[in-house]
């Protein structure tokens, strides 16, 4: 892409979407500080345009760059990074069919073959097939985070009827209905993920824990991180506290921020995302930064097919995640 402004104007719909988000282009949005000071609005601006028309034109890229006072290449770089953004014109309805490992094992290959016969190759870049008399198109998708209901599809609708829905598990009839009839609602019961049963030595301990004193019983049975999964009611704060919840936070307050970081460092705890970075070193680095405020983010992206290492905790013991975030925030001054 040319790094310079192309001299193109956004469409009327794109301009209106940006005006709704940023205010009128005639307003005094220039000269209010250093260049790039409004870059935090880049993703919202891209979403506003994309939701309104279903793609982002070169004119819109330039307009966003001008309005936010960032380089066009910066806008293009962000827009081209995310798979759900399109920089080429396409139909307003898009069906994204998962082709990741678990979905392939569950039969998504047959869906892909049928779609190729019906509509042509999947869309990408500047080439998008037309389905349903030009009202829809389709694309292959990386993991949609629905491995337990594979194969999965995501339906997105742009313009006046903007919205999205998942279909999981999906059949070709479901895909065809999405291509021709708009969004397909997911039944409430289909959205419920089945709990993970306890097994092995911890199963007996879990049964004991259910009768009281669960924290120690679960740990004694061999489970620590998952000792409450399948034991507590994940929607009940009282049940979480009954099974040892918030004891760690109470202990953290007794230790103080420095003491918490020392405990975490001495424990050898490391990150679970693959890099195995020492948690204590990370927390100490954040705590030592003089610039305030500090902000803590829980990365809940579940994009590793078939692992469910975070989902089990978030769905089966969510208050443990919140308590851990509170301890981390307390220790790092967030």
């Amino acid at each position: 892409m040319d790094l310079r402004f192309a001299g193109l104007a956004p469409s009327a719909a794109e301009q209106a979407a940006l005006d709704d988000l940023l205010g009128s282009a005639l307003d005094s949005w220039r000269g209010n500080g250093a260049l790039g000071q409004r870059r935090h609005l880049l993703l919202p601006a891209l979403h506003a345009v994309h939701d309104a028309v279903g793609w982002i034109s070169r004119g819109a890229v330039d307009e966003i760059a001008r309005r936010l006072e960032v380089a066009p290449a910066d806008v293009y770089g962000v827009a081209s990074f995310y798979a759900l953004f399109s920089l080429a014109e396409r139909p307003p309805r898009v069906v994204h069919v998962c082709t990741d490992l678990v979905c392939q094992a569950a039969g998504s290959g047959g869906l892909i073959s049928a779609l190729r016969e019906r509509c042509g190759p999947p869309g990408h870049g500047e080439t998008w097939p037309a389905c349903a008399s030009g009202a829809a198109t389709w694309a292959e998708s990386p993991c949609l985070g629905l491995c337990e209901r594979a194969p999965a599809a995501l339906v997105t609708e742009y313009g006046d009827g903007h919205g999205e829905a998942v279909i999981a598990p999906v059949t070709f009839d479901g895909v065809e209905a999405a291509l021709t009839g708009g969004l397909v609602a997911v039944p409430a019961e289909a959205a419920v993920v089945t709990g993970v049963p306890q097994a092995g030595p911890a199963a007996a301990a879990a049964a004991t824990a259910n009768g009281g004193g669960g924290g120690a019983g679960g740990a004694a049975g061999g489970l620590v991180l998952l000792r409450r999964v399948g034991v507590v009611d994940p929607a009940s704060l009282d049940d979480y506290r009954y099974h040892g919840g918030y004891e760690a936070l109470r202990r953290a307050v007794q230790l103080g921020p420095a003491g918490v970081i020392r405990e975490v460092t001495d424990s050898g705890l490391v990150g679970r995302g693959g890099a195995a970075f020492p948690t204590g070193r990370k927390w100490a680095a954040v705590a030592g930064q003089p610039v305030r405020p500090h902000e803590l983010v829980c990365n809940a992206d579940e994009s590793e097919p078939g692992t469910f290492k975070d989902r089990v905790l978030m769905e089966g013991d969510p208050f443990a995640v919140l308590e851990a975030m509170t301890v981390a925030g307390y220790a790092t001054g967030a």
Side-chain angles (χ1 to χ4, degrees):
M1 175 197 171
D2 195 321
L3 302 185
R4 299 166 295 183
F5 286 97
L8 300 175
S11 68
E14 290 173 325
Q15 185 71 61
L18 289 174
D19 288 349
D20 286 343
L21 176 70
L22 303 173
S24 171
L26 299 178
D27 293 342
S28 57
W29 43 265
R30 287 186 175 274
N32 294 326
L35 289 176
Q37 192 174 33
R38 305 182 79 198
R39 191 187 181 283
H40 65 285
L41 294 171
L42 177 50
L43 264 179
L46 290 170
H47 275 293
V49 169
H50 201 269
D51 291 349
V53 298
W55 67 292
I56 303 165
S57 72
R58 180 58 202 275
V61 168
D62 284 4
E63 181 69 7
I64 292 171
R66 280 191 291 267
R67 299 282 293 272
L68 302 185
E69 297 183 312
V70 297
D74 196 6
V75 181
Y76 178 85
V78 174
S80 60
F81 176 81
Y82 293 100
L84 291 181
F85 284 150
S86 176
L87 291 165
E89 187 171 5
R90 65 183 183 183
R93 187 183 309 133
V94 186
V95 178
H96 309 264
V97 181
C98 172
T99 59
D100 236 322
L101 181 64
V102 177
C103 283
Q104 287 190 37
S108 67
L111 292 175
I112 298 298
S113 297
L115 276 169
R116 283 179 174 272
E117 286 187 21
R118 189 185 192 285
C119 299
H124 62 87
E126 296 183 0
T127 305
W128 291 92
C131 306
S133 302
T137 188
W138 76 283
E140 295 179 335
S141 171
C143 182
L144 293 172
L146 296 164
C147 301
E148 81 286 1
R149 288 186 275 148
L154 170 69
V155 186
T156 55
E157 179 91 20
Y158 300 102
D160 293 338
H162 174 251
E164 64 180 35
V166 295
I167 318 174
V170 65
T171 63
F172 181 72
D173 288 343
V175 170
E176 190 166 40
L179 289 171
T180 58
L183 300 182
V184 179
V186 180
E189 60 272 15
V192 177
V193 178
T194 304
V196 178
Q198 300 285 23
T208 302
N210 230 353
L223 292 180
V224 177
L225 188 62
L226 303 179
R227 66 182 181 272
R228 281 183 292 260
V229 174
V231 176
V232 299
D233 175 0
S236 171
L237 177 59
D238 289 339
D239 201 20
Y240 175 69
R241 295 180 65 183
Y242 179 76
H243 288 92
Y246 284 102
E247 291 179 2
L249 179 59
R250 185 178 296 108
R251 174 64 174 155
V253 173
Q254 293 171 351
L255 290 171
V260 172
I261 292 175
R262 183 172 58 251
E263 287 277 311
V264 172
T265 301
D266 291 346
S267 74
L269 182 68
V270 296
R272 302 171 63 234
F277 193 89
T279 305
R281 188 184 305 175
K282 182 182 294 185
W283 288 15
V286 175
Q289 290 295 318
V291 177
R292 292 293 193 276
H294 294 165
E295 297 178 359
L296 185 142
V297 176
C298 174
N299 179 4
D301 176 45
E302 193 73 291
S303 58
E304 296 159 356
T307 59
F308 302 137
K309 62 181 176 56
D310 298 327
R311 176 171 295 186
V312 171
L313 289 174
M314 290 187 290
E315 294 186 343
D317 196 11
F319 288 109
V321 179
L322 297 178
E323 181 179 7
M325 292 177 67
T326 308
V327 171
Y330 173 69
T332 59

